[in-house]
Amino acid sequence: MKIFEEIESEVQSYARSFPRVFHRAKGEKMWDEDGNEYLDFLAGAGTLNYGHNNDLFKPILMDYIQNDGITHGLDMHTKAKGEFLETFNEKILKPRNMDYMVQFTGPTGTNAVEAAMKIARNVTGQQNIVTFTNGFHGVSLGALAATGNSHHRNAAGVSLNGVHRMPYDGYLGDNIDTTEYLDKVLSDSSSGINSPAAVIVEVVQGEGGINVASIEWLKSLQTVCKKHGILLIVDDIQAGCGRTGDYFSFEEAGIEPDIITLSKSLGGYGLPFAVVLMKPELDQWKPGEHNGTFRGNNLAFVTAKAAIEHYWSDKTFSDEIKRKGQYTSERLQKIVEQYGDGRFTTRGRGMFQGINCVNGEIAGKITRNAFKKGLIIETSGADDHVVKFFCPLIISDENLKKGIDIVESAIQEVCAEEGSIPEEKVYF
Ligand SMILES: *Cc1c(COP(=O)(O)O)cnc(C)c1O
């Protein structure tokens, strides 16, 4: 189709990696307009945890539309919104002893991050927010300031202020606890770091290259925040909604963030939806202070409720994610032992897994080769050097194996072609 070249902006990105016109999708599969079939290991960058057009919610959504249910409602109370809140409270918050207020923001992740940072600044009266190296929080200006990636930052056109960057877990090597540094600079009135309103962190950095914060580091981060009276914001937009095995990515660490952002798979069906969860005492918004026309995407409320009911009423789904995650990490471990001259490594938690190929060019060759074999899979990280395994969580065992087999054969071919892997700068 020539129309894309004719009038679609150069800003396109995924369309460049997967230059086909897609037409249909189901579960973990997609088809292009010529009927070619692909396995989807990109899953809308984590928006399709429950797969494409999930049959458990599709009839519910169709019924709702058929019966002229409200589609758009600004922030008015609707039955669909009320039922989502009830289900979210009963199945997600209460069983985890979580007491939070829910703010509906505009339906993108970056919108939720903006709101989270605003409320933290307004409540504390401090401007500064601590963010981490390789963090990704969206591309609107406030969230972009918190994002590390220079490719995205350089497009801002204005200076990006109000944040201070700190090294993420592991950034300075395995033996350095970077929260000690944070504690030190916050304790020193001459460190030059203004007392922050909050820290914003991803438990697993998705766009930043699948960097996993250890449980101990997260606990220690919370301790440092408490000690210095700083709010802890967990951006769970990509790592949440089951990706790491639990509903929230921080559950295993047992930490209690003051503010949490959710989006991507929250809507369940790939429909836009984002929220901010905040401790009740932080909910100091004045009516309409932060708004957005599309805060009331009721179709997403309907499918979000259905997704929670179907998948999060008991432990079954969570156990399944952990089992498939374990299988994935064992397979990837074997692959890196076999290929990449001992320089490739694995990383991840749950079904949030990757192979660090050290070199972006090689990772790109691997994913392009995999696409030729019918697998949609992307890279992430500072130099796009990590092959990112991000299939829908509902994937069948058979297709999970098939997808990994495809990557294995792509890696085998690329490594055979390359001879040896160049000794390049080792990206974090
Ligand atoms: C995707 C993402 C965002 C931004 O969400 P958008 O819907 O693209 O604005 C923010 N934070 C994290 C961790 C993300 O993965």
Side-chain angles (χ1 to χ4, degrees), residues 108-111 113 136-139 202 207 235 237-238 263-264:
T108 60
T110 201
N111 229 297
V113 170
F136 181 85
H137 300 285
V139 297
E202 295 157 273
E207 300 309 297
D235 180 351
I237 288 170
Q238 187 159 159
S263 183
K264 293 212 162 90

Side-chain angles (χ1 to χ4, degrees), residues 149-278:
N149 187 296
S150 58
H151 176 63
H152 292 124
R153 293 174 67 79
N154 289 344
V158 291
S159 56
L160 298 167
N161 296 323
V163 300
H164 201 102
R165 198 115 16 223
M166 287 285 160
Y168 190 71
D169 190 19
Y171 192 69
L172 300 171
D174 285 345
N175 300 323
I176 295 179
D177 177 358
T178 61
T179 62
E180 275 179 28
Y181 175 62
L182 180 63
D183 185 25
K184 174 95 190 192
V185 298
L186 294 177
S187 308
D188 176 358
S189 60
S190 290
S191 67
I193 312 293
N194 293 337
S195 177
V199 159
I200 183 165
V201 68
E202 295 157 273
V203 169
V204 180
Q205 294 183 323
E207 300 309 297
I210 318 202
N211 309 312
V212 184
S214 71
I215 301 300
E216 305 78 64
W217 189 84
L218 291 165
K219 286 190 162 125
S220 157
L221 180 63
Q222 172 165 275
T223 306
V224 172
C225 286
K226 287 218 165 106
K227 176 175 166 192
H228 296 278
I230 302 165
L231 299 174
L232 176 60
I233 307 173
V234 170
D235 180 351
D236 228 9
I237 288 170
Q238 187 159 159
C241 300
R243 181 52 61 179
T244 63
D246 297 314
Y247 189 82
F248 295 104
S249 65
F250 52 80
E251 286 180 44
E252 201 182 330
I255 59 170
E256 238 185 273
D258 298 290
I259 303 176
I260 302 157
T261 55
L262 286 176
S263 183
K264 293 212 162 90
S265 274
L266 176 63
Y269 202 72
L271 293 168
F273 186 14
V275 294
V276 175
L277 310 178
M278 65 200 121

Side-chain angles (χ1 to χ4, degrees), residues 42-117:
L42 174 59
T47 305
L48 294 158
N49 282 2
Y50 311 105
H52 293 267
N53 298 310
N54 189 311
D55 277 333
L56 293 170
F57 342 131
K58 194 168 85 174
I60 297 172
L61 180 61
M62 287 178 40
D63 262 10
Y64 184 80
I65 296 171
Q66 188 66 41
N67 291 315
D68 291 327
I70 303 277
T71 295
H72 175 270
L74 291 168
D75 73 351
M76 284 187 277
H77 292 167
T78 62
K79 193 157 176 265
K81 189 199 230 180
E83 287 179 2
F84 161 73
L85 281 172
E86 272 169 7
T87 306
F88 190 72
N89 200 29
E90 288 303 319
K91 307 270 188 202
I92 302 296
L93 296 180
K94 280 192 186 164
R96 293 167 179 78
N97 277 320
M98 291 171 70
D99 185 16
Y100 288 84
M101 298 300 281
V102 182
Q103 178 186 0
F104 295 81
T105 65
T108 60
T110 201
N111 229 297
V113 170
E114 295 289 342
M117 290 170 71

